Amino acid sequence: MKTARPFAAVILAAGKGTRMKSDVHKVLHPIAGRAMLDHLLGVVDRLAPAHKIVVVGSGREQVEHLVSARGGETVVQEQQLGTGHAVRQAERELNGFAGDVLILYGDTPLVEAETMSRMLERLNGADAPAVVVVGFRPDDAGAYGRIIAGDDGAIQKMVEFKDATPEERAVDLCNSGLMAARAEDLFPLLGRVGNENAAGEYYLPDIVMLAQGDGRKSVVIEAQPWEMAGVNSRAELALVEAEWQRRRRLQAMADGVTLVAPDTVWFAHDTEVGRDCVIEPHVVFGPGVRVADCVTIRAFSHIEGATIARNAEIGPYARLRPGAEIDENAKVGNFVEVKKARLGKGAKANHLSYIGDADVGAGANIGAGTITCNYDGFFKYGTKIGEGAFIGSNSALVAPVSIGAGAIVGAGSVVTRDVAEDALALARGKQQVAPGWAARFRAKMAEKKLARK
């Protein structure tokens, strides 16, 4: 997306977040496996901002690394004196900036790029409003500030709930707090904002009425209520997560994915799923998953950091951990865990196995209960299983070890040395049989038990 003029994004994230009851900064709590602030910065990046400035306060050291990694800057609001005061902290960094300023909130992570773009487009409309404000109409307006506007969107008055009259509180058009203004207008207006109100704070919305007093109008554009949902508590975090998941599920189904029980499937922020995939109930995706077309993921599977190729089948009750690569037509069955390992084309690990730090060749079969013993308490080691190899049930492959193509490992073996192609490896104790021993044992024990009565 391109904007008419260069713009700076100022993101307010200085609140203490006390209602979260957390040692983690509020804006770092995740939605779909990604910090709220990172969601917002990612959307802003789609519009190619000239500056990204995050206003921080308590716990700022937690936020600074993320902002820096995203190519942004942080400024500090030492005292919490209101939203107007918070935005003023960015004035020095934007000194001499000739562009627009988009004001956003780090705890409002669902704002879409289209809405930000509309804000900037409206600001640069033919009538050149002084300020653009985003309004919304929630089911319950509660304690939100209210916007009194005409049919043309021109704002007549903005008022905080604490200072509103009963008639003003009856209005359902609420102030989201998101605004856009030209830098040359914004900071002079902020310099005139006072704190004569019920909270003794410097309110950002006051710039609208100050501009009106100068004979300049401000306008409101409306967004959907879900987009303006803010997070101030764990309960609100859960509600925003649920809304994000709801929309992602709808998008997946619109893209050609079958979700058998949509409400039970949980996506991560970067999950990629191809067409004609079937996802059964209670599947959870962690970050870093790419799924090709025509894959079936059965119920109760957990997948993170994995790549799954076309026509593969996963689960039920499978776990794919980071570094898992599942090739075409391969199968990972119930209670199988795969970590940093590749299953080649058509390879199978059908049940009760752990495959870690391994390369499994095409068409290989991993029997039930097989594990790759990849860790000695200090270092990890690799296992290689050749094409078409057959690993019998309840085998332990002690890495580093290589099983040749077409080789067979007998059930119950503990393999500690390489096995050549097409060889048979047996590594287990010799079975001994004592005929009639079990019957004699039972009779003897029954006699002893009777004697004790």
Side-chain angles (χ1 to χ4, degrees):
M1 293 184 179
K2 292 185 177 180
T3 57
R5 300 201 322 151
F7 82 97
V10 176
I11 300 174
L12 306 189
K16 294 182 178 179
T18 54
R19 288 169 55 194
M20 294 295 288
K21 301 288 194 300
S22 177
D23 293 332
V24 177
H25 195 290
K26 178 171 69 170
V27 300
L28 298 184
H29 282 264
I31 301 293
R34 186 183 191 186
M36 288 190 284
L37 178 59
D38 200 29
H39 273 279
L40 198 59
L41 288 168
V43 175
V44 168
D45 281 343
R46 292 176 57 191
L47 301 176
H51 298 276
K52 290 178 291 189
I53 300 172
V54 179
V55 183
V56 295
S58 177
R60 58 182 177 266
E61 67 282 351
Q62 296 184 32
V63 179
E64 288 168 344
H65 177 73
L66 169 59
V67 176
S68 176
R70 276 287 190 179
E73 309 166 74
T74 55
V75 296
V76 180
Q77 184 188 24
E78 297 288 357
Q79 293 180 284
Q80 309 298 298
L81 300 178
T83 51
H85 179 260
V87 176
R88 286 200 70 180
Q89 308 313 302
E91 185 171 3
R92 178 180 298 178
E93 278 65 26
L94 294 179
N95 183 37
F97 175 64
D100 303 329
V101 179
L102 203 59
I103 300 169
L104 307 167
Y105 293 80
D107 60 3
T108 306
L110 300 187
V111 184
E112 297 200 324
E114 290 76 11
T115 297
M116 298 181 192
S117 181
R118 283 198 297 129
M119 294 169 68
L120 295 170
E121 287 175 6
R122 186 65 188 89
L123 183 66
N124 290 284
D127 55 346
V131 183
V132 173
V133 180
V134 178
F136 67 110
R137 301 180 190 271
D139 292 335
D140 180 6
Y144 287 109
R146 302 300 202 266
I147 301 174
I148 314 300
D151 293 338
D152 61 351
I155 297 174
Q156 300 164 5
K157 185 178 182 181
M158 290 180 63
V159 59
E160 294 292 327
F161 180 82
K162 302 172 191 175
D163 304 311
T165 66
E167 293 76 15
E168 291 166 342
R169 292 180 178 183
V171 173
D172 69 348
L173 182 59
C174 296
N175 174 25
S176 70
L178 276 66
M179 293 188 179
R182 297 166 190 80
E184 60 267 29
D185 293 331
L186 175 63
F187 294 109
L189 287 169
L190 284 171
R192 294 160 55 192
V193 171
N195 65 343
E196 297 176 0
N197 51 60
E201 295 184 348
Y202 297 89
Y203 290 147
L204 176 62
D206 285 359
I207 64 174
V208 170
M209 304 317 298
L210 288 169
Q212 186 182 78
D214 295 339
R216 299 188 62 193
K217 77 172 184 179
S218 298
V219 297
V220 60
I221 65 169
E222 293 193 37
Q224 294 296 320
W226 62 262
E227 205 177 343
M228 299 296 110
V231 175
N232 293 293
S233 66
R234 305 282 182 151
E236 290 175 349
L237 180 69
L239 290 172
V240 171
E241 175 79 43
E243 178 58 31
W244 190 96
Q245 293 292 341
R246 183 187 71 84
R247 296 183 60 78
R248 181 64 182 86
R249 292 165 189 145
L250 290 173
Q251 185 62 54
M253 290 185 285
D255 290 341
V257 179
T258 294
L259 303 182
V260 176
D263 288 350
T264 70
V265 175
W266 290 79
F267 291 102
H269 64 94
D270 59 351
T271 306
E272 300 176 18
V273 183
R275 294 176 59 179
D276 292 317
C277 289
V278 176
I279 302 177
E280 293 185 354
H282 300 287
V283 171
V284 176
F285 294 97
V289 176
R290 298 196 310 274
V291 181
D293 296 345
C294 303
V295 170
T296 298
I297 301 178
R298 301 205 178 277
F300 294 98
S301 294
H302 188 285
I303 303 170
E304 179 178 0
T307 302
I308 305 172
R310 184 182 179 91
N311 289 322
E313 182 177 340
I314 309 298
Y317 294 97
R319 185 181 182 195
L320 302 186
R321 292 171 57 194
E325 298 179 26
I326 312 303
D327 286 356
E328 291 185 16
N329 299 301
K331 182 175 180 182
V332 177
N334 50 289
F335 301 104
V336 173
E337 179 178 346
V338 180
K339 189 274 298 182
K340 199 177 178 181
R342 181 186 73 91
L343 261 66
K345 185 175 181 179
K348 297 178 181 179
N350 277 325
H351 25 236
L352 303 166
S353 293
Y354 170 70
I355 311 298
D357 294 277
D359 187 297
V360 180
N365 188 90
I366 311 298
T370 295
I371 61 171
T372 58
C373 306
N374 59 332
Y375 183 52
D376 64 2
F378 296 93
F379 301 102
K380 296 290 183 71
Y381 303 92
T383 298
K384 182 174 177 60
I385 300 173
E387 294 185 5
F390 183 95
I391 311 300
S393 297
N394 202 34
S395 293
L397 309 180
V398 182
V401 71
S402 176
I403 310 298
I408 295 176
V409 174
S413 294
V414 179
V415 179
T416 59
R417 292 181 295 176
D418 291 351
V419 179
E421 292 185 9
D422 295 318
L424 169 65
L426 289 173
R428 60 190 182 214
K430 182 179 179 181
Q431 180 174 316
Q432 294 182 342
V433 178
W437 185 92
R440 293 194 298 273
F441 173 77
R442 285 193 294 269
K444 180 179 179 181
M445 299 308 291
E447 185 179 334
K448 282 186 177 182
K449 188 174 183 179
L450 184 62
R452 290 182 181 182
K453 289 185 178 180

